Amino acid sequence: MSCLFCDIVEGKIPAQIVKKDDHVVVFRDIQPQAPTHVLVVPTKHISTINDLTGQDAAIIGKMVMAAQEVAVAEGIDESGYRMVLNCNKDGGQSVFHIHLHLLGGRTMQWPPG
Amino acid sequence: MSCLFCDIVEGKIPAQIVKKDDHVVVFRDIQPQAPTHVLVVPTKHISTINDLTGQDAAIIGKMVMAAQEVAVAEGIDESGYRMVLNCNKDGGQSVFHIHLHLLGGRTMQWPPG
């Protein structure tokens, strides 16, 4: 089955890539909700956070560290930012390949949606 | 310097504890923004996501796996949920001991704050 984010990881579909290594790809959200809004995607296909096993858990750490690095590069580390992971319908998950949203450059409101 | 979440981890301040192990404590948010709203806190004091080092990154995986387990226990894994990490002022961080918000039991909106 085709997956939009696997296609971006493999370079089959263009995206504004911010960072790429063996474990993660970071690219700009096409419908940004803040001055900085990027998605951090593992190169490995995992459909939802529910599907993460203990063995995969390290990838979450790598995703957050990649987002932290991009926050510094975007100059939003001191002002602040929000990271968001959505799972299934109530969470608002739209692409079924896990991804971390990093948003900053404005004051984020509460509740978080 | 005193830290509210260290005090909860150490049992000095009461909280509605949902889960506790050597690495994380999960308890209910006192100002819930959804039918399920818990905080996952590492037992180790880390002030902000900016302060995470590569060595600490594994704790993020443990936090997400703990939240995943609580989502199943609360019966929101299939309907869906949102996980949120806030850093500094623009992110809306209010307690400077990192914590993961898990929210579910209702449809979360977009943008995430």
Side-chain angles (χ1 to χ4, degrees):
Chain A
M1 225 170 86
S2 94
C3 165
L4 174 62
F5 288 174
C6 282
D7 285 349
I8 288 176
V9 165
E10 291 165 19
K12 291 180 187 168
I13 289 180
Q16 281 193 270
I17 307 283
V18 174
K19 173 185 163 67
K20 187 170 181 167
D21 64 26
D22 288 347
H23 304 289
V24 299
V25 177
V26 186
F27 53 90
R28 297 198 189 279
D29 195 293
I30 54 167
Q31 294 185 298
Q33 304 296 324
T36 290
H37 186 176
V38 300
L39 302 181
V40 184
V41 170
T43 52
K44 177 179 177 178
H45 181 87
I46 300 165
S47 296
T48 78
I49 296 291
N50 287 336
D51 301 307
L52 271 180
T53 66
Q55 285 181 315
D56 296 319
I59 192 63
I60 294 287
K62 289 190 170 70
M63 289 164 68
V64 167
M65 294 308 287
Q68 185 207 61
E69 185 184 317
V70 171
V72 171
E74 298 271 317
I76 59 169
D77 53 321
E78 292 306 320
S79 51
Y81 51 82
R82 179 166 292 167
M83 295 183 186
V84 178
L85 287 163
N86 296 328
C87 181
N88 282 342
K89 187 157 181 259
D90 272 0
Q93 185 174 8
S94 53
V95 176
F96 285 80
H97 178 136
I98 61 168
H99 50 286
L100 178 82
H101 293 265
L102 168 69
L103 304 103
R106 70 168 172 87
T107 302
M108 302 301 294
Q109 305 300 310
W110 201 249
Chain B
M1 224 170 85
S2 93
C3 165
L4 174 62
F5 288 174
C6 282
D7 284 350
I8 288 176
V9 165
E10 291 165 19
K12 292 180 186 168
I13 289 179
Q16 280 192 272
I17 307 283
V18 174
K19 172 185 165 67
K20 186 169 183 171
D21 64 27
D22 288 346
H23 304 289
V24 299
V25 177
V26 186
F27 53 91
R28 297 198 190 278
D29 195 293
I30 55 167
Q31 294 186 297
Q33 304 296 324
T36 289
H37 186 177
V38 301
L39 303 181
V40 183
V41 169
T43 53
K44 177 179 177 179
H45 181 87
I46 300 166
S47 297
T48 78
I49 297 290
N50 287 335
D51 301 306
L52 271 181
T53 65
Q55 286 181 317
D56 296 319
I59 192 64
I60 294 287
K62 289 189 169 70
M63 289 164 68
V64 167
M65 294 308 287
Q68 185 208 61
E69 185 184 317
V70 171
V72 172
E74 298 271 318
I76 58 170
D77 54 321
E78 293 305 321
S79 51
Y81 52 82
R82 178 166 292 166
M83 295 183 187
V84 178
L85 287 163
N86 296 327
C87 182
N88 282 342
K89 189 158 180 257
D90 272 1
Q93 185 174 8
S94 53
V95 176
F96 285 80
H97 179 136
I98 61 170
H99 50 285
L100 178 84
H101 293 265
L102 168 69
L103 303 102
R106 69 168 172 87
T107 302
M108 302 301 293
Q109 305 300 311
W110 202 248

